[in-house]
């Protein structure tokens, strides 16, 4: 009887174990720089040879194209709202117009990660921004929204650099 109870407790404890589920990486889409030809810096609906994909958006920066997936992929990009929504025709979630944050100093940290590194690095001089890298080159610095700090491990701007939502005091 003791063995059955011990086994039942062990099974119950195992079923309560929390697993880290992050989900699959969205599939890559073609993203030639020509998609940004004649476009100002900003985010746009993703069209590739007249094929529209609402679950992705095009980010243009200095003539370079970066194709981003909405996450989860069931969301759709709304160019008017500059965000991914359940349906691209939904009302915008934010009520204030988006304006890019300006940064003044941006350390050239990307070459230290090697010529194949593409991603984001914490700015060692300013926790309120991060350094964007593409193929080992520093693309620029991106400021976190006001009050958030960049967390390199989670590749996200978070409250106190740790939390998705503002902690209650």
């Amino acid at each position: 009887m003791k063995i059955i109870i011990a086994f039942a407790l062990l099974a119950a404890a195992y079923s309560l174990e929390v697993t880290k589920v992050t989900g699959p990486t969205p599939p890559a889409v073609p993203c030639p720089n020509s998609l940004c030809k004649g476009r100002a810096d900003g985010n746009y609906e993703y069209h590739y040879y007249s094929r529209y994909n609402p679950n992705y958006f095009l980010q243009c920066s200095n003539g370079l194209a970066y194709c981003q997936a909405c996450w989860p992929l069931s969301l759709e990009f709304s160019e008017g709202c500059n965000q991914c929504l359940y349906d691209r025709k939904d009302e915008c979630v934010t009520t204030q117009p988006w304006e890019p944050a300006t940064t003044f100093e941006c350390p050239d940290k990307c070459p230290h990660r090697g010529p194949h590194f593409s991603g984001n690095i914490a700015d060692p001089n300013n926790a309120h921004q991060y350094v964007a890298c593409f193929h080992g080159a520093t693309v620029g610095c991106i400021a976190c929204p006001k009050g958030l700090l960049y967390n390199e491990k989670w590749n996200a701007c978070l409250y106190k650099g740790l939390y998705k939502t503002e902690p209650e005091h």
Side-chain angles (χ1 to χ4, degrees):
M1 182 68 165
K2 289 181 183 179
I3 293 175
I4 294 173
I5 292 172
F7 182 70
L9 289 173
L10 183 62
Y14 182 75
S15 68
L16 294 175
E17 183 180 328
V18 178
T19 58
K20 183 179 178 182
V21 178
T22 58
T25 301
V29 293
C31 196
N33 288 333
S34 60
L35 293 174
C36 289
K37 186 176 182 179
R39 292 184 186 238
D41 289 357
N43 298 325
Y44 301 91
E45 291 179 342
Y46 177 79
H47 295 270
Y48 184 71
Y49 289 109
S50 69
R51 194 175 80 225
Y52 170 63
N53 187 333
N55 310 109
Y56 287 80
F57 63 95
L58 170 67
Q59 182 181 34
C60 296
S61 177
N62 296 317
L64 299 176
Y66 303 93
C67 294
Q68 310 282 342
C70 290
W71 190 254
L73 273 177
S74 58
L75 298 180
E76 297 180 355
F77 181 72
S78 167
E79 195 170 306
C81 295
N82 193 37
Q83 59 191 178
C84 296
L85 304 169
Y86 287 108
D87 184 292
R88 67 187 176 102
K89 296 175 184 154
D90 287 345
E91 277 189 48
C92 300
V93 175
T94 57
T95 56
Q96 298 177 347
W98 178 81
E99 293 194 22
T102 303
T103 59
F104 300 100
E105 288 188 37
C106 189
D108 191 17
K109 292 288 182 184
C110 301
H112 303 295
R113 299 279 177 111
H116 303 291
F117 178 76
S118 292
N120 300 317
I121 301 173
D123 183 336
N125 305 316
N126 184 349
H128 296 279
Q129 70 182 23
Y130 56 94
V131 182
C133 307
F134 184 71
H135 293 291
T138 299
V139 177
C141 283
I142 295 115
C144 292
K146 186 176 180 179
L148 302 184
L149 302 174
Y150 181 70
N151 180 314
E152 188 171 336
K153 178 182 176 186
W154 293 101
N155 191 31
C157 294
L158 304 170
Y159 289 96
K160 297 184 180 181
L162 301 170
Y163 309 104
K164 289 182 185 178
T165 59
E166 190 169 12
E168 293 183 19
H169 300 285

